[in-house]
Each structure stands twice: as C-alpha cells, then as structure tokens.
Amino acid sequence: MAYELEKRLVIGLASSALFNLDESDRVFQEMGEDAYRNYQREHQHDVLEKGVAFPFIKRLLTLNELNPQDPPVEVVLLSRNDPDTGMRVMHSIEHYGLNMTRALFLQGREPYKYIEALNISLFLSANEQDVKEAINAGYSAGQVLESNINDDDTDEELRIAFDFDGVIADDQAETVYQQENLDAFHKHEKENAAVTHNEGPLLTFLRKVAHIQQLELAKKEQDSSYRPKLRVSIVTARSAPSHERVINTMRSWNIIVNEAYFLGGIEKKKVLEVLNPHIFFD
C-alpha cells in the first residue's frame, strides 16, 4: 500500500535550510563541480553544522510521537545535489537522529516542480531563487535568513510565529494602508470586521499545524501528564480596532492560536526576542 501524504503536514526542505553549507558552496563556486564532488566525497562522514531551520525541523519531527503508526509530519529533502554529492547530507541527518527518510536529489533541477506531487504545504530553502520560483508557481515557500542559532536541547516546546497580512491572510487590507493611510485602514477593517479575510499563502500550512494542535489536546485528555509542544502565535503591526477582524477571521477558519500580539507599530524585533520563536513567517 502506498504511503499517503494528503492528511499529513509535509515540509519540503532544501539542505541549505537544514545545514550550514557555506564551506562546500564556496568550493563549488570557486573551484567548480569536479572539485566540489571530490570535496564532498572526502568529507562524506564529516557532520555538517546545524543550519537556521534545524531547531524548527528537529522539534517538528518529534510531533510524530503522537502517532508513530500514522505520523502527522513528513519532511522530504529536496536537494540540488546529485545522489553522490548528497551522501554527506544524508549522513548528517542520520548523525543528528532526524527521522527523515525521503529525499529527492535533483542534480541542479528546480525543486518547486515536485511540490504538488509530494503534497508539500511549505517549502523552505536558503536559496532565494528557488524560493521565488516556488512562489511564482503558486506554492507556499519561505527563504530562511541568516541568524544566530541558540538551540536549547532542554527546551522541547516548538514555537511558530506568523505575521498576519500577506502571510495568513492575503494583502488586500494592507493595500488599503499602503495606498491611503492608517486611519483609512482602521476604518476599512472596522467596517469589515465580520467579513472573513481572503486566504493568504501560508493558511494551508497553518491549518495543518492547527490539526496537530488538536491531536495534542486529545493526547492531553487521555494523559494528563502530557505537555503540548506546539505553541502558535500571531505577531502583527495591527492594533485596535483592526484586531477584531483578525480574531473573527480565525474563528471562521476554526483555528485557535495560543498568543496574539497586536503591536500597533511597536518594533516586532523586541517582542520576538522575548517570544523566541523557532521560526517566524514575515
């Protein structure tokens, strides 16, 4: 029987998001493909350093403990390497104990072409061009940006944060603000407080995350000692009165988030430093 993906949260992941590939990329850029191939073979068993998305992926995969027989999460490696040069990545995945067994090695071909075939809800890569191609083709994708990685192994919680406009919802309301002013934006949102926003690029991903939250709540009902791992937040520049339409929209989608920050122009960075999400979709 085929392994079904439709009901799972499927992440498509480039090796550049999972690991730090700066050194091997430099070899490829400066010395060419043959030197790169030789370098990867020589260093095949040298473990790659953790990349920006590593803490997020590591914790996401632990959610499969909710149902090992029918795991809710699947992470598929989409690599521009060929199978030969990709061996180092697979060895590194095994070294870190990541339960990732499915991989596509594409030898330079575009990863986005396989997103629909694999039912991928989100594609992550450090390669800006690959992300743009995925987005232009109508898929949900994000470019992971360089940041300091402080992965606390004793912290089992997985914190996912989203901006709202242009991320969970489309940017229709944001356009009012850009074309007119803040007062016009608030007036528009207050008048449309009961009107559900149009879907944004990451709503499907959030819905899959929300489904896993429900699995965690069911687990807690069965086992009072179970501590849910997922914590989902909205961090937005909106403030009252435009907050009401956000909440009504989330209700209409039957999605409950743990926290919402309506900052009204306060710098998000300072709040995010306290919240410390493992990934923030802006």
Side-chain angles (χ1 to χ4, degrees), residues 99-162:
N99 187 18
M100 293 173 55
T101 60
R102 293 171 172 84
L104 277 63
F105 294 104
L106 304 173
Q107 198 183 39
R109 292 184 181 271
E110 299 87 348
Y112 80 89
K113 293 182 177 180
Y114 297 89
I115 290 176
E116 185 173 359
L118 297 171
N119 204 49
I120 289 170
S121 297
L122 176 67
F123 171 61
L124 293 176
S125 175
N127 186 310
E128 182 180 4
Q129 184 61 33
D130 282 348
V131 171
K132 284 184 175 180
E133 288 177 352
I135 292 172
N136 289 338
Y139 301 117
S140 300
Q143 181 186 3
V144 297
L145 304 177
E146 289 188 17
S147 62
N148 294 325
I149 302 170
N150 184 18
D151 190 14
D152 181 1
D153 288 330
T154 65
D155 178 13
E156 296 184 351
E157 195 172 67
L158 170 56
R159 294 177 294 277
I160 305 176
F162 299 84

Side-chain angles (χ1 to χ4, degrees), residues 13-19 21 51-54 124-126 144:
L13 187 70
S15 49
S16 60
L18 187 60
F19 298 120
L21 303 180
V52 174
F54 186 96
L124 293 176
S125 175
V144 297

Side-chain angles (χ1 to χ4, degrees), residues 189-205:
E189 291 302 279
K190 191 171 183 177
E191 291 173 349
N192 291 277
V195 179
T196 300
H197 277 281
N198 297 321
E199 297 184 4
L202 288 186
L203 180 59
T204 298
F205 169 70

Side-chain angles (χ1 to χ4, degrees), residues 5-281:
L5 293 173
E6 283 73 15
K7 295 182 179 180
R8 308 181 202 279
L9 169 59
V10 185
I11 305 294
L13 187 70
S15 49
S16 60
L18 187 60
F19 298 120
N20 183 342
L21 303 180
D22 289 349
E23 185 179 357
S24 54
D25 283 349
R26 180 182 56 78
V27 172
F28 182 84
Q29 295 297 332
E30 295 180 1
M31 304 177 67
E33 185 173 348
D34 289 341
Y36 172 75
R37 184 179 305 281
N38 290 332
Y39 177 86
Q40 292 294 67
R41 287 180 177 178
E42 290 170 4
H43 295 271
Q44 181 171 307
H45 295 286
D46 294 345
V47 177
L48 290 161
E49 294 181 1
K50 298 175 182 179
V52 174
F54 186 96
F56 165 66
I57 294 297
K58 180 182 73 173
R59 287 166 175 78
L60 189 68
L61 286 168
T62 65
L63 294 170
N64 284 335
E65 297 168 5
L66 289 165
N67 189 352
Q69 287 73 40
D70 188 15
V73 176
E74 182 67 45
V75 180
V76 181
L77 185 72
L78 299 179
S79 174
R80 280 184 172 269
N81 281 293
D82 61 29
D84 187 335
T85 58
M87 283 289 286
R88 187 181 181 189
V89 173
M90 296 305 289
H91 279 300
S92 296
I93 288 172
E94 182 179 5
H95 168 84
Y96 288 114
L98 299 177
N99 187 18
M100 293 173 55
T101 60
R102 293 171 172 84
L104 277 63
F105 294 104
L106 304 173
Q107 198 183 39
R109 292 184 181 271
E110 299 87 348
Y112 80 89
K113 293 182 177 180
Y114 297 89
I115 290 176
E116 185 173 359
L118 297 171
N119 204 49
I120 289 170
S121 297
L122 176 67
F123 171 61
L124 293 176
S125 175
N127 186 310
E128 182 180 4
Q129 184 61 33
D130 282 348
V131 171
K132 284 184 175 180
E133 288 177 352
I135 292 172
N136 289 338
Y139 301 117
S140 300
Q143 181 186 3
V144 297
L145 304 177
E146 289 188 17
S147 62
N148 294 325
I149 302 170
N150 184 18
D151 190 14
D152 181 1
D153 288 330
T154 65
D155 178 13
E156 296 184 351
E157 195 172 67
L158 170 56
R159 294 177 294 277
I160 305 176
F162 299 84
D163 197 353
F164 186 77
D165 294 284
V167 178
I168 298 173
D170 71 0
D171 60 358
Q172 182 183 56
E174 177 72 12
T175 301
V176 174
Y177 170 69
Q178 297 293 340
Q179 293 181 350
E180 299 184 44
N181 55 42
L182 183 59
D183 289 338
F185 169 77
H186 281 308
K187 182 175 182 293
H188 177 272
E189 291 302 279
K190 191 171 183 177
E191 291 173 349
N192 291 277
V195 179
T196 300
H197 277 281
N198 297 321
E199 297 184 4
L202 288 186
L203 180 59
T204 298
F205 169 70
L206 177 56
R207 279 178 166 149
K208 293 288 182 73
V209 169
H211 173 67
I212 297 175
Q213 282 188 301
Q214 293 303 311
L215 295 179
E216 285 208 288
L217 291 176
K219 175 78 170 179
K220 187 170 178 59
E221 288 183 4
Q222 297 172 358
D223 179 5
S224 60
S225 66
Y226 179 75
R227 183 178 177 183
K229 297 178 180 180
L230 258 176
R231 195 158 188 87
V232 179
S233 305
I234 292 175
V235 183
T236 172
R238 286 175 178 245
S239 61
S242 64
H243 71 294
E244 187 174 354
R245 190 180 181 193
V246 173
I247 295 171
N248 287 337
T249 294
M250 300 301 286
R251 285 176 178 173
S252 72
W253 290 334
N254 197 28
I255 295 174
I256 297 175
V257 297
N258 301 101
E259 303 170 16
Y261 301 83
F262 297 101
L263 298 179
I266 296 172
E267 188 178 1
K268 294 178 186 177
K269 178 183 177 182
K270 294 180 179 180
V271 172
L272 289 169
E273 286 175 349
V274 178
L275 178 61
N276 194 25
H278 295 99
I279 194 164
F280 173 53
F281 295 99

